[in-house]
Amino acid sequence: MVDKGQVISLCRFLLRAGRQYPDYNIREYAKRRTLDGFRMNKNLTDHSKVEDAYAEGKKQLEVVERVVKVYLAYPPKTKNIMELKLQ
């Protein structure tokens, strides 16, 4: 059974993993997608649906961690407009 602490921990892990992306757009997308997913499922009461949503969140965390490793190994050569410093 999944308790509230595990769900909050998963949310934090997803947000932290999303912050590791070097690209601003992907960082913001990961943050928005995480928060939207948790808001969408916040009213679940059926234990089987909660466990299914938690399992899906764990899968998404694995995907995010895997993609972050690829992005860090092969960073984009150009910077986003949001990442350029004004000179």
Side-chain angles (χ1 to χ4, degrees):
M1 183 168 160
V2 179
D3 64 355
K4 186 177 180 178
Q6 289 176 309
V7 172
I8 292 171
S9 178
L10 178 62
C11 183
R12 287 180 181 160
F13 282 136
L14 280 164
L15 289 172
R16 285 185 192 130
R19 274 186 253 152
Q20 294 177 7
Y21 282 111
D23 186 1
Y24 171 82
N25 289 327
I26 297 175
R27 275 194 312 265
E28 290 301 311
Y29 172 76
K31 177 181 169 184
R32 186 176 62 247
R33 171 103 168 146
T34 299
L35 294 175
D36 288 347
F38 278 87
R39 286 181 189 135
M40 185 176 69
N41 293 321
K42 75 178 180 178
N43 294 324
L44 291 179
T45 55
D46 184 22
H47 294 297
S48 64
K49 289 183 180 180
V50 171
E51 289 185 15
D52 290 344
Y54 183 78
E56 179 63 28
K58 293 288 272 187
K59 287 180 190 174
Q60 291 299 319
L61 178 61
E62 292 173 6
V63 169
V64 168
E65 289 173 342
R66 204 169 41 238
V67 173
V68 164
K69 288 178 185 176
V70 171
Y71 263 84
L72 292 176
Y74 304 102
K77 293 181 177 51
T78 60
K79 291 202 177 226
N80 189 319
I81 190 74
M82 299 299 290
E83 296 168 341
L84 293 175
K85 292 183 180 179
L86 295 176
Q87 296 179 359

